[in-house]
Amino acid sequence: MGLGVRWTVHGDGRNPAPGAVVRPDERLSWPRTVGLGAQHVVAMFGASFVAPVLMGLDPNLAIMMSGVATVIFLLSTRGRIPSYLGCSLSFVGVAAVIRAQGGTSATVTGAVLVVGVALFLVGVAVQRFGARIIHTAMPPVVTGAVVMLIGFNLAPVTARTYWPQDQWVALLTMLFTGFAVVCLRGFWSRIAIFLGLVFGYGVSWVFDRAFGMIHSVDGSGKVTDHWRLDFSAVGTADWIGLPHFHGPSFQWSAVLVALPVVIALVAENAGHVKAVGEMTGDPLDDKLGTAISADGAASVLSTALGGPPNTTYSENIGVMAATRVYSTAAYWAAAGFALLFGLCPKFGAVVAAIPGGVLGGITVILYGMIGLLGAQIWVHNKVDLRNPLHLVPVAAGVIIGVGGVSLRISEHFELSGIALGTIVVLTGYHGLRACAPAHLKPQAPLLDEGTSSYDKD
């Protein structure tokens, strides 16, 4: 397939036959392909809107680099894995912790750049030695616990930063977003976060007209009278221009906070590769390591320029499942749209104007969903939490991570929250396993079971 940039026209190029699928190396007519690309962009908008704003980074640069990352991923995998790479929500908690410790945007991107390098090296190791090295170090009980504490560690951000800015808008946005996720069907449920943003914008505009300014904390934490929806920056923003770039800054304390997210990203990539392989019917045994490395390389490039890290998006996998169109040509079109949006500062100003109350309502659901993905990993892999070998390190690590327990190493260095919780889960599990009786050490299921040829050995 070469670089995966040649496609044959599927059927008549209009509509797939009943029960047929458009494979990655096929496409529909170019107008339909471009339309599907636009649909993929809309599907990723919700999280890609919210994540850079929550991390305090430039949303224009985030959208632009998501397009660049998608191109890198498609070229690296030779067009065999149709996927869109957007801003990763797994780092939102990391950014909040680093900023709470006095870190800047450069500190955040520097820490995340190191995570991208680590992810790239994990991918290289998987290509060389096989995915068993992942499962040896990070069995599902460990992976689920780390993903859980990453999500639940974000709870104070919602409770203390976003929700108090406008509790009633937050409540209404939360209710509408929950309704959209559960009750809407097909494509609309896939963009529920985006619909929640639009709804929150509308409610904030109505409340401003009906009740005037609100007296509450603003985005900087000061109690003032202010408009819920402030579009002053939108009016002065240019239609065409480059986003804001900045270089990374490296601090060991910030890097240690960010490194545990590697575990979540590896689990995320493995799950997405498995899902795509099952949908397309193409065994992707030889591409898992490549996919992980491509994600890491794209994140390194993005953070080196001041953007957020990237990861494969399940929202776009859902669009493929609904349309049965797996053409990578549609993802090239989506990447093109993202690049164009990134060159429009006015678009970024609209994103940056999201009211705090709207973010409060959305993050209540979003952060909880991230945390519960950890529980889903346990359920899917049948992790037995009645086993004390599983229960003890998980219980200790999750409470440390969620509660913000800290361990002071020296006057200028301490471990806390996500970093300390992850260390406790990892070292606790492997340390206890080394001395546990045999009946407490069942064979752990594989994280990406069914996607690699060694499953048959």
Side-chain angles (χ1 to χ4, degrees):
M1 191 181 290
L3 293 176
V5 293
R6 294 178 180 272
W7 305 273
T8 58
V9 178
H10 176 88
D12 61 2
R14 297 181 180 179
N15 297 303
V21 300
V22 180
R23 296 181 55 77
D25 59 347
E26 298 178 327
R27 64 170 176 83
L28 298 177
S29 66
W30 281 116
R32 286 172 172 77
T33 297
V34 171
L36 286 166
Q39 185 171 331
H40 279 299
V41 171
V42 173
M44 68 87 182
F45 261 8
S48 286
F49 271 172
V50 174
V53 173
L54 297 179
M55 295 176 68
L57 301 176
D58 184 354
N60 269 76
L61 184 56
I63 296 298
M64 175 185 285
M65 294 312 298
S66 75
V68 174
T70 299
V71 169
I72 291 173
F73 186 88
L74 293 174
L75 291 175
S76 299
T77 58
R78 300 295 191 268
R80 284 184 59 193
I81 306 178
S83 245
Y84 192 94
L85 269 66
C87 183
S88 175
L89 284 163
S90 299
F91 289 92
V92 172
V94 166
V97 172
I98 292 174
R99 290 185 181 279
Q101 295 175 349
T104 63
S105 292
T107 312
V108 171
T109 53
V112 177
L113 188 152
V114 175
V115 175
V117 172
L119 185 63
F120 175 82
L121 295 177
V122 169
V124 171
V126 171
Q127 293 178 60
R128 175 65 179 84
F129 301 106
R132 283 195 181 277
I133 62 170
I134 297 177
H135 310 301
T136 300
M138 299 179 295
V141 61
V142 171
T143 305
V146 173
V147 173
M148 178 173 286
L149 66 87
I150 286 173
F152 291 163
N153 183 260
L154 296 168
V157 177
T158 293
R160 299 171 188 170
T161 303
Y162 298 120
W163 192 279
Q165 293 185 42
D166 193 332
Q167 61 177 1
W168 296 112
V169 167
L171 178 62
L172 291 173
T173 302
M174 178 195 73
L175 294 174
F176 176 85
T177 304
F179 168 83
V181 171
V182 176
C183 299
L184 297 184
R185 296 289 183 268
F187 173 71
W188 294 107
S189 68
R190 296 291 175 183
I191 60 170
I193 301 298
F194 176 70
L195 295 178
L197 285 174
V198 174
F199 175 84
Y201 261 102
V203 171
S204 298
W205 183 84
V206 171
F207 278 19
D208 277 344
R209 299 303 178 275
F211 307 115
M213 291 186 175
I214 184 174
H215 183 75
S216 68
V217 294
D218 58 14
S220 64
K222 297 179 180 179
V223 179
T224 62
D225 290 319
H226 61 276
W227 297 108
R228 298 166 181 84
L229 193 57
D230 183 4
F231 277 141
S232 58
V234 177
T236 59
D238 295 328
W239 281 102
I240 300 176
L242 291 173
H244 173 69
F245 299 99
H246 69 257
S249 174
F250 301 97
Q251 294 182 10
W252 273 112
S253 58
V255 170
L256 288 175
V257 169
L259 273 176
V261 182
V262 169
I263 297 175
L265 295 180
V266 170
E268 211 166 40
N269 275 276
H272 290 172
V273 169
K274 176 180 179 180
V276 172
E278 289 178 347
M279 287 191 301
T280 61
D282 179 18
L284 299 173
D285 307 352
D286 58 329
K287 288 299 179 183
L288 177 59
T290 303
I292 294 174
S293 291
D295 190 351
S299 292
V300 168
L301 177 60
S302 178
T303 51
L305 297 175
N310 296 286
T311 188
T312 51
Y313 261 32
S314 59
E315 288 90 340
N316 299 94
I317 293 175
V319 171
M320 289 192 295
T323 62
R324 298 176 67 82
V325 177
Y326 308 117
S327 172
T328 54
Y331 283 102
W332 278 93
F337 279 119
L339 290 171
L340 291 176
F341 277 122
L343 293 172
C344 179
K346 195 172 288 291
F347 163 79
V350 171
V351 176
I354 298 173
V358 177
L359 292 176
I362 288 175
T363 54
V364 163
I365 295 176
L366 202 59
Y367 292 170
M369 289 171 66
I370 295 172
L372 290 176
L373 284 175
Q376 178 60 29
I377 291 174
W378 290 339
V379 172
H380 178 74
N381 292 281
K382 299 180 174 60
V383 173
D384 184 8
L385 291 179
R386 296 171 299 179
N387 184 341
L389 174 59
H390 297 162
L391 181 63
V392 171
V394 166
V398 169
I399 290 300
I400 286 173
V402 174
V405 175
S406 62
L407 181 66
R408 184 172 294 277
I409 307 299
S410 69
E411 182 179 353
H412 303 290
F413 180 71
E414 70 175 27
L415 290 170
S416 64
I418 296 173
L420 182 58
T422 300
I423 291 172
V424 168
V425 173
L426 269 171
T427 60
Y429 173 80
H430 290 292
L432 292 173
R433 185 178 176 84
C435 56
H439 72 278
L440 293 181
K441 297 188 287 187
Q443 180 64 40
L446 299 176
L447 182 64
D448 61 344
E449 190 168 13
T451 66
S452 300
S453 57
Y454 61 72
D455 295 340
K456 301 174 184 177
D457 296 340

